[in-house]
Amino acid sequence: MLGRLIAQITYKEDLMSDPNPEVVEQLRQLLGDQAVRTQPDDFMPDIVLKPESTEQVSTILKICSAAGQALVPLGGKTGLANGHFQTDSELGLSLERMHAIEEVDTANRTMTVQAGCILQTAAEAAEEQGLLLPLDFGARGSATVGGCVATNAGGNMVIRYGMARDMVLGLEVVLADGTIVTSMNKMLKNNTGYDLKQWFIGAEGTLGVITRVVMRLRPHPRSQNTALLAVDDFDSVGKLLHWLDGNTAGTLSAFEVMWPDFYEFITRQGSIHRAPLPHGSAFYVLVETLGSNPEADAESFETVLGEAMEQGLVSDAVLTRSQSERNALWEIRDDVLEFFKLGPIIPFDVSLTIEKMESFVSDIREGMDRLDASICVVFGHLGDSNLHLILGNENPDAFDYGALETLLYESVERYQGSVSAEHGVGLSKRAHLPRSRSEAELQLMVGMKKMLDPNNILNPNKIFSADKIAAT
Ligand code: ZN
């Protein structure tokens, strides 16, 4: 429902109009009734197309291009920027029937999958071969590989393995006019001109429809060491990150910081989560290393943390001894939905260089006081310069979406940060994109959009408004 609310504010056209009936009839004949589904979603019927091959995707796009019929490519619809929002006049394009794992190539450590494959299914197929697909986050059971690539998803291991962008070796994409661009490279090095795949990664379905992907796999780790640390001040958080990264031989795979308002609420009395460390510290940091030698890695992990304590970077620590203890720590960090119990909230996802974070957060808190808004929860993947903030108001009558958004994004602009660290732009952030991108950058992006999608049929109004495209 929030998606529809944002859309009503940001879209100018009538949300209630229908797609072109002749186009729908033509597509019904192409795909069959079963693959043109009207589904009651968001209380309104949306038409969703479910092709079963790249060739069908190509024909769909040819038909829609000729008729100027807009389409919204859909993955698992778990994105947090409303990039998958579909108006009633638009057609959804779901690749859920294109979910095959075509190959796990153990010699080259690659995996070739169709875009509709669920992320968790792909990760399990890699694991069966002793390999790791290092892309993981809460929505793993419903997010699709194509959606992850189209939104350049991040997650909990970015510090070690990078974002989706860093794992893609090859892509197959269908352009707006139906042209199939097959670029299924499996090699780590391939320096033959423009890196075309990067145009489509993170483009949120606005430049083409991703149909198949070659992902890079890594050796599956044999050791995992996890700890929760208490830290007294922000300066020590930054030093701790560098200390751990420099002394764990490249195995640091998570550095998740929770401000006390996060940790203390999740582990409050009566919560299902037990507090592994007492309340009252300035920061809590969940750290994890993934290595190859269980005994030696556990010993050196303990040594490195011991040295961090001697230096005063860490004031208290809990090391996990079992998978269930490890899971319990991650459940604290991942239980973000719990904050919806506080009242109406907005989750934000921004980037800042680490030395600016402390002062940024205190500016936001002052602003929240001025607005009389009571909910301000901060956490993030600090090793990736990524902060998540949850802002809201315990009093629903005083909840002011626009004021909170303006407060946050104005500060991000002032601190020269990014209005989106990992969730993308979609519909939710497009008005604020100029805060993080120069006019020259935006013009270049719009120029690419116009070249690849001259009729503006692919996920129109996401990232840029149709007005912006028309005016550039
Ligand atoms: Zn995140």
Side-chain angles (χ1 to χ4, degrees), residues 124-304:
E124 284 167 5
E127 196 171 345
E128 272 170 33
Q129 306 295 327
L131 294 167
L132 176 73
L133 173 61
L135 184 60
D136 192 39
F137 49 87
R140 65 183 75 78
S142 42
T144 63
V145 171
C148 290
V149 172
T151 56
N152 186 29
N156 291 334
M157 292 184 276
V158 174
I159 188 173
R160 171 87 175 269
Y161 299 106
M163 296 181 72
R165 188 184 294 292
D166 303 292
M167 297 164 207
V168 177
L169 293 173
L171 276 187
E172 179 181 81
V173 182
V174 183
L175 303 183
D177 66 0
T179 305
I180 300 171
V181 181
T182 302
S183 182
M184 300 294 277
N185 168 66
K186 278 182 160 189
M187 298 168 289
L188 272 189
K189 283 187 169 177
N190 186 342
N191 216 359
T192 46
Y194 300 157
D195 192 352
L196 295 175
K197 67 177 182 291
Q198 296 297 353
W199 291 21
F200 303 95
I201 303 172
E204 303 181 40
T206 59
L207 299 180
V209 178
I210 295 167
T211 46
R212 291 159 74 217
V213 187
V214 183
M215 302 289 283
R216 179 183 183 187
L217 303 177
R218 304 300 184 108
H220 204 280
R222 289 195 288 272
S223 81
Q224 184 180 20
N225 288 285
T226 314
L228 182 69
L229 314 173
V231 179
D232 286 337
D233 55 78
F234 194 78
D235 189 43
S236 300
V237 172
K239 286 183 177 149
L240 177 65
L241 170 63
H242 290 148
W243 170 256
L244 290 178
D245 208 12
N247 290 280
T248 51
T251 64
L252 185 66
S253 56
F255 190 87
E256 299 290 318
V257 179
M258 292 168 271
W259 270 246
D261 34 35
F262 184 105
Y263 178 78
E264 293 178 3
F265 179 74
I266 294 291
T267 60
R268 71 196 181 282
Q269 245 186 352
S271 160
I272 55 164
H273 305 286
R274 199 182 53 83
L277 289 173
H279 291 182
S281 290
F283 297 94
Y284 296 86
V285 189
L286 196 168
V287 297
E288 189 163 88
T289 61
L290 296 172
S292 57
N293 187 333
E295 239 168 72
D297 293 342
E299 206 180 296
S300 74
F301 187 64
E302 223 174 298
T303 307
V304 170

Side-chain angles (χ1 to χ4, degrees), residues 333 381 386 388 422-423:
R333 162 59 185 79
H381 320 283
N386 182 181
H388 289 311
E422 60 179 358
H423 296 166

Side-chain angles (χ1 to χ4, degrees), residues 48-62:
V48 176
L49 312 172
K50 301 183 179 180
E52 57 181 1
S53 66
T54 300
E55 288 66 31
Q56 281 193 345
V57 174
S58 164
T59 310
I60 291 170
L61 287 175
K62 276 183 196 150

Side-chain angles (χ1 to χ4, degrees), residues 18-30 36 47 49 63-64 66-67 69 91:
D18 289 328
N20 181 331
E22 280 162 35
V23 170
V24 174
E25 191 41 46
Q26 237 180 316
L27 293 169
R28 219 179 270 284
Q29 281 176 16
L30 170 76
V36 182
I47 296 183
L49 312 172
I63 292 170
C64 289
Q69 171 60 53
L91 296 173

